[in-house]
Amino acid sequence: MLDDVRFALVDLETTGGQAANDQIMEVAVRQIDFSGGEEWAWQSLIDPQCSIPSFIQGLTGISPSMVRGKPVFSDVQDELWSHLENAILVAHNARFDAGFLRANFARFGRQYNPPVLCTLKLARTLYPEWPKHGLEAICHRIGFHSEGHHRAMADVDAMKAFLDFARRDVGEAVFNFEVGLLLGLPVLPPSISQTEFDAIPGRAGVYRLLGEAGELLYLGAASSLQEQILSHFSNSAGDSKATKLARKVAGLQWQAHAGELSAGLYLSAALRHEKPQMQRSAKAVGKPCCVRFVSIDSGGHSLRLRSGLPNDIGQSGESVVLFRDRKQAKARLVVLAKDNDLCLSQLALLSEGQRCDCSVCDDIDCRDSDGTENVENSAPADLAGSISRLKSAFADYLYTPWPFAEAVLIYECNDAGLAEWHLVNDWRYYGSFIWDANRQTLSPCPRAEVDGSAALSLAEAAARCEQQLGFHYDHYRLLRAFLNELEWRPLSAFAKI
């Protein structure tokens, strides 16, 4: 992974610590790669055209006489740019060096925002037990003698000595993995070989990331298994949850599915039974929250929240907005109301003790709420307009009535020929099957979360769909997303095949 990457080890000596006010007075660059290619080095003193504080002189050993008559930054910036362009910047406490280079190049119209590898962070990651991680302490720890600390090329050489030491000490696989994580490059954990990873298909499926003892760390679904699994080991930084997960992964399991719907349905069921250690637990299946827009006698509308689906939701024809639960419903409605300057009190969205800050409240006393979630508006026309805007903004959340008169089988097939039929009725999921046209039966997929393993006749499948399953919000959202993407065939149509 790192063999094709060019690194530029850089160190700067400056007149102070502020890139906006202080100046560079020495620069050193050493280009390296990790494939054993030739190295190239360049260094130069630079006339900062300002005084050098005595403290800096004592620290670096660079005196005013040493830089007098040397090139100024404008003289070397073209050459320096040619060495740094398209290379990863490697520096100890890299934020400091990157800041000075960015500020100085900007004065010449160049934007310098390279990928950065900080050897200070790398040392802390690989050797957290070391008491200190400064360059001098590192050199002492690894037995590297530097000719002079706080001179640019000497510090560059010290960084390279540390990189060479760490690569030998922890092993190439671990070294490349940690460097890749810090750079946000796609890398594999040391325990997963490239051959093992190459065997993962770029198809939809479900995967499990496992720890050293085989414990389940993470369970996910993906449209492309290989791409999604690799994403866990890239774009990670610092102490993020993604990085902590990546470092714990010691193995993986995967299973291809017929498509994204199949993988999503399986994942939804699996997360209710399995408990990944580094993944937020799946919410318990509960009643969704409906937001209904009810007409009132005064000619306006009232906003009403209720748990569960109304019994007549398929026949009433009214607009109903559906959310996972009451908490999500209120949170989304409040955000929308504030974004559109709608009255929270009129919409019954104020919590106890809260006050509405909308412009309507300047003219209407809308804070005399009884605290219930069904508040009739004293200014019906205003609320009617608010309701209309709410409906429009929440178009994606409007409940879609079941568009069939009976149960259906949804056909899904991947490019490898794996085909499944998902049995669904009234947005309830009753399992995934393999259709045997000769026997006119449905055989459960081996991984399907269904009761029993016997094949079903069409009549038995229809009878299964008469079972009263609870409404599962995640299933509804997932199924609706594929309403126009896959073939939905009424169960009765199979008798004619």
Side-chain angles (χ1 to χ4, degrees), residues 261 265 309 313-314 322 398-404 406-408 410 423-430 465 469-484 488:
L261 176 58
L265 290 170
L309 292 177
I313 193 170
L322 190 63
L398 287 174
Y399 174 77
T400 301
W402 178 244
F404 302 94
E406 59 178 303
V408 302
I410 307 171
L423 183 60
V424 178
N425 186 38
D426 197 21
W427 301 119
R428 276 76 169 175
Y429 169 59
Y430 290 89
C465 290
L469 295 183
F471 181 87
H472 195 299
Y473 177 82
D474 287 335
H475 284 173
Y476 162 75
R477 294 284 293 181
L478 184 60
L479 290 165
R480 197 184 72 163
F482 288 91
L483 184 58
N484 298 315
W488 295 52

Side-chain angles (χ1 to χ4, degrees), residues 131-300:
K132 296 181 180 180
H133 298 89
L135 270 180
E136 290 186 53
I138 287 176
C139 288
H140 178 74
R141 173 71 64 166
I142 67 176
F144 176 76
H145 175 70
S146 177
E147 292 297 331
H149 293 294
H150 300 297
R151 289 301 300 269
M153 187 55 75
D155 285 354
V156 164
D157 290 340
M159 281 189 286
K160 184 178 184 303
F162 166 68
L163 294 175
D164 292 341
F165 167 84
R167 190 181 184 89
R168 295 190 305 268
D169 185 55
V170 302
E172 184 172 348
V174 173
F175 179 83
N176 287 355
F177 179 66
E178 292 297 345
V179 169
L181 284 183
L182 289 174
L183 290 172
L185 297 175
V187 290
L188 293 176
S191 58
I192 298 176
S193 68
Q194 188 65 46
T195 301
E196 182 180 2
F197 177 76
D198 290 342
I200 302 172
R203 304 188 187 98
V206 172
Y207 64 94
R208 290 170 172 82
L209 303 181
L210 308 176
E212 190 173 357
E215 70 276 18
L216 179 62
L217 301 176
Y218 191 93
L219 173 61
S223 58
S224 171
L225 283 167
Q226 190 176 86
E227 182 179 341
Q228 183 62 30
I229 290 172
L230 188 59
S231 73
H232 285 283
F233 312 116
S234 61
N235 300 320
S236 301
D239 293 325
S240 68
K241 290 183 179 179
T243 303
K244 292 177 181 177
L245 170 62
R247 290 194 173 113
K248 282 183 173 291
V249 173
L252 59 87
Q253 297 173 345
W254 57 268
Q255 188 175 47
H257 283 244
E260 292 181 62
L261 176 58
S262 172
L265 290 170
Y266 178 87
L267 178 66
S268 177
L271 284 175
R272 296 199 300 272
H273 301 97
E274 302 185 52
K275 305 297 181 184
Q277 294 182 6
M278 301 190 69
Q279 188 173 4
R280 182 177 297 176
S281 300
K283 292 185 177 180
V285 178
K287 292 183 178 180
C289 181
C290 289
V291 180
R292 306 181 74 177
F293 308 100
V294 182
S295 299
I296 57 177
D297 295 339
S298 60

Side-chain angles (χ1 to χ4, degrees), residues 204-205 256-263 411-415 418-422 447:
H257 283 244
E260 292 181 62
L261 176 58
S262 172
Y411 179 69
E412 195 170 24
C413 181
N414 65 18
D415 58 4
L418 177 60
E420 298 179 22
W421 294 88
H422 310 297
R447 60 182 170 274

Side-chain angles (χ1 to χ4, degrees), residues 45-57:
L45 285 166
I46 295 175
D47 187 348
Q49 297 185 302
C50 66
S51 61
I52 303 175
S54 57
F55 168 75
I56 297 296
Q57 294 184 47

Side-chain angles (χ1 to χ4, degrees), residues 246-465:
R247 290 194 173 113
K248 282 183 173 291
V249 173
L252 59 87
Q253 297 173 345
W254 57 268
Q255 188 175 47
H257 283 244
E260 292 181 62
L261 176 58
S262 172
L265 290 170
Y266 178 87
L267 178 66
S268 177
L271 284 175
R272 296 199 300 272
H273 301 97
E274 302 185 52
K275 305 297 181 184
Q277 294 182 6
M278 301 190 69
Q279 188 173 4
R280 182 177 297 176
S281 300
K283 292 185 177 180
V285 178
K287 292 183 178 180
C289 181
C290 289
V291 180
R292 306 181 74 177
F293 308 100
V294 182
S295 299
I296 57 177
D297 295 339
S298 60
H301 293 80
S302 174
L303 190 67
R304 180 176 297 165
L305 277 68
R306 61 160 290 172
S307 296
L309 292 177
N311 293 329
D312 61 346
I313 193 170
Q315 294 78 36
S316 65
E318 67 174 312
S319 297
V320 175
V321 177
L322 190 63
F323 295 92
R324 182 187 309 279
D325 51 34
R326 187 176 294 260
K327 181 179 179 181
Q328 184 199 39
K330 282 193 170 183
R332 296 294 294 164
L333 287 168
V334 166
V335 169
L336 177 69
K338 289 184 176 180
D339 288 346
N340 291 274
D341 193 30
L342 305 180
C343 179
L344 296 178
S345 182
Q346 289 177 349
L347 298 176
L349 297 174
L350 283 177
S351 300
E352 185 176 353
Q354 287 185 322
R355 299 185 63 180
C356 180
D357 297 323
C358 74
S359 59
V360 177
C361 293
D362 294 336
D363 304 314
I364 302 173
D365 183 11
C366 61
R367 287 185 283 272
D368 295 331
S369 170
D370 61 4
T372 65
E373 294 187 357
N374 179 20
V375 180
E376 296 188 2
N377 180 29
S378 59
D382 291 336
L383 184 56
S386 299
I387 296 295
S388 176
R389 288 153 66 190
L390 280 169
K391 287 182 180 180
S392 176
F394 277 94
D396 289 343
Y397 289 89
L398 287 174
Y399 174 77
T400 301
W402 178 244
F404 302 94
E406 59 178 303
V408 302
L409 283 165
I410 307 171
Y411 179 69
E412 195 170 24
C413 181
N414 65 18
D415 58 4
L418 177 60
E420 298 179 22
W421 294 88
H422 310 297
L423 183 60
V424 178
N425 186 38
D426 197 21
W427 301 119
R428 276 76 169 175
Y429 169 59
Y430 290 89
S432 296
F433 302 86
I434 299 172
W435 169 246
D436 187 333
N438 294 325
R439 297 182 179 181
Q440 293 280 291
T441 58
L442 293 162
S443 300
C445 294
R447 60 182 170 274
E449 297 284 338
V450 295
D451 295 329
S453 58
L456 300 177
S457 66
L458 292 174
E460 290 170 330
R464 169 171 288 188
C465 290

